Amino acid sequence: ERNEEHDDTKIHELDSGWEFREATSDNWFPAEVPGDAMTDLMSAGIIPDPFFGKAENDVQWVEKTDWIYRCIFPLTEKLEGQYPSALELVFEGIDTFSEIRINGQLHLETNNMHRTHVLPIPRETASPCTLEITLKSPVIVGERIMAALPRLIPTSNEDKPIGQRTSSVVRKAKYQFGWDWGPRLTSCGIWRPVKLRESDELTEEEIQLSLLRIDENQATYLVQGPLGIETGQITIQGPENGSVAYSTSDWETQQCTLKIDKPQRWWPHGMGDQPLYTLQWSNHHQRRPVRFGIRKIEWNR
């Protein structure tokens, strides 16, 4: 376990003591985190090296299998019983569809390989803590997504019938589904570090702004955060630290509504200016700025 200290934050990387098993089996094997199921299966001697000869064909069953990863670790005596937001798990990369349980209770589900997830550990969590991550087959889940679509989404990299090319509907590295330059090794796993973060400090990435509606007169945002964000106040600065008319609602279940009058919209490069606003969240001992541009952008898939 590596321990890093930055100001009032301590980070413990959970990089040892992991084990994994097939979801339908009771046999546990050692696992490496960061890593993935394919390399762990190789280390356990369950599958051959898929890059040797035609062994790629012998490992295709892995892509339609669910896996469970488990790590048991102690919560320090210092932290037990503290405010819930003081202790959290940071998942820098989970590939891709997962269910995350703490001591048997489901707390988080993921569906995107390319983002980070932060999970506050509840105050009542008993020590030692059992972290269990169920990784679902990206191909099986992808097939269910495709079955619900009104039309097929084409993709050219997969050597599969058109109705089985699931790489277009999952947020997962496309090369894993095969290409003309590489094998099809559609694995899953915990591909970036898992960290236990001890801090009562709110970080900027924990403050999320979601644009609800916008017109020429007003932009309305939903501001969300973890437990403890309700103790802070919000102020807004306009572009170039200018004044701006705004209002906020009362906090309710870790969220509030923010309204900004006469919003100046952010434009892509070459189409206009890029005015940036600053949200300042502060309480009695900390202050966190979040810069943002006002613009509604929709991704039409």
Side-chain angles (χ1 to χ4, degrees):
E1 179 185 272
R2 290 194 294 275
N3 183 357
E4 306 169 26
E5 288 197 33
H6 302 284
D7 300 326
D8 294 328
T9 302
K10 294 181 181 179
I11 298 175
H12 308 272
E13 188 166 329
L14 302 180
D15 55 1
S16 62
W18 286 90
E19 53 187 357
F20 83 112
R21 65 175 172 89
E22 190 176 342
T24 57
S25 171
D26 294 326
N27 298 322
W28 292 92
F29 298 93
E32 291 289 332
V33 173
D36 76 341
M38 199 75 75
T39 53
D40 288 332
L41 288 167
M42 286 176 57
S43 298
I46 298 173
I47 64 171
D49 184 344
F51 291 97
F52 183 79
K54 296 183 178 180
E56 172 192 355
N57 299 326
D58 299 327
V59 302
Q60 294 306 305
W61 61 273
V62 175
E63 70 176 31
K64 291 193 173 183
T65 306
D66 296 345
W67 305 94
I68 298 178
Y69 278 70
R70 180 173 71 180
C71 178
I72 301 173
F73 58 92
L75 301 177
T76 64
E77 182 178 353
K78 172 185 175 182
L79 287 163
E80 286 182 343
Q82 277 197 7
Y83 198 66
S85 62
L87 188 59
E88 55 198 7
L89 287 164
V90 181
F91 303 92
E92 294 189 356
I94 296 180
D95 180 11
T96 293
F97 299 99
S98 78
E99 296 176 349
I100 299 175
R101 291 175 171 83
I102 298 176
N103 289 349
Q105 296 295 314
L106 178 64
H107 286 271
L108 180 66
E109 296 182 70
T110 73
N111 62 3
N112 191 328
M113 174 182 178
H114 306 293
R115 59 158 295 184
T116 294
H117 298 271
V118 178
L119 174 59
I121 296 180
R123 176 169 49 189
E124 65 273 13
T125 300
S127 182
C129 177
T130 299
L131 171 62
E132 191 173 272
I133 302 175
T134 300
L135 296 161
K136 298 183 178 180
S137 161
V139 173
I140 297 297
V141 175
E143 289 174 349
R144 293 172 185 160
I145 294 173
M146 290 183 65
L149 295 176
R151 63 188 63 84
L152 294 176
I153 300 175
T155 181
S156 59
N157 62 295
E158 292 190 68
D159 186 19
K160 290 275 188 180
I162 291 179
Q164 298 177 26
R165 298 175 185 176
T166 57
S167 62
S168 62
V169 296
V170 298
R171 304 276 69 83
K172 179 176 173 65
K174 302 308 176 193
Y175 65 83
Q176 294 186 11
F177 294 85
W179 225 289
D180 56 357
W181 47 262
R184 180 183 176 94
L185 300 175
T186 314
S187 187
C188 58
I190 307 166
W191 74 288
R192 281 181 169 168
V194 177
K195 298 178 179 179
L196 180 64
R197 186 162 65 191
E198 308 173 17
S199 175
D200 58 3
E201 296 285 316
L202 190 69
T203 60
E204 288 133 31
E205 70 267 18
E206 292 178 296
I207 303 174
Q208 300 179 12
L209 281 76
S210 301
L211 182 61
L212 300 178
R213 50 191 170 273
I214 182 174
D215 56 33
E216 297 301 323
N217 297 317
Q218 195 171 72
T220 302
Y221 281 89
L222 180 67
V223 183
Q224 297 171 287
L227 288 172
I229 196 171
E230 304 99 324
T231 64
Q233 300 296 318
I234 286 177
T235 58
I236 300 293
Q237 289 181 323
E240 299 181 356
N241 296 326
S243 61
V244 57
Y246 68 94
S247 62
T248 60
S249 68
D250 293 334
W251 288 105
E252 184 176 353
T253 62
Q254 293 118 255
Q255 62 185 34
C256 73
T257 301
L258 164 67
K259 295 182 178 181
I260 299 175
D261 294 340
K262 303 295 181 183
Q264 299 181 46
R265 303 192 192 215
W266 179 95
W267 289 92
H269 180 67
M271 297 180 66
D273 295 331
Q274 292 88 41
L276 293 178
Y277 290 73
T278 301
L279 178 151
Q280 291 277 5
W281 176 92
S282 59
N283 64 9
H284 64 281
H285 74 281
Q286 58 180 314
R287 184 180 180 90
R288 291 290 177 264
V290 179
R291 301 185 75 199
F292 64 101
I294 299 178
R295 164 66 59 181
K296 181 178 181 181
I297 297 177
E298 294 181 306
W299 184 13
N300 186 342
R301 292 166 55 193

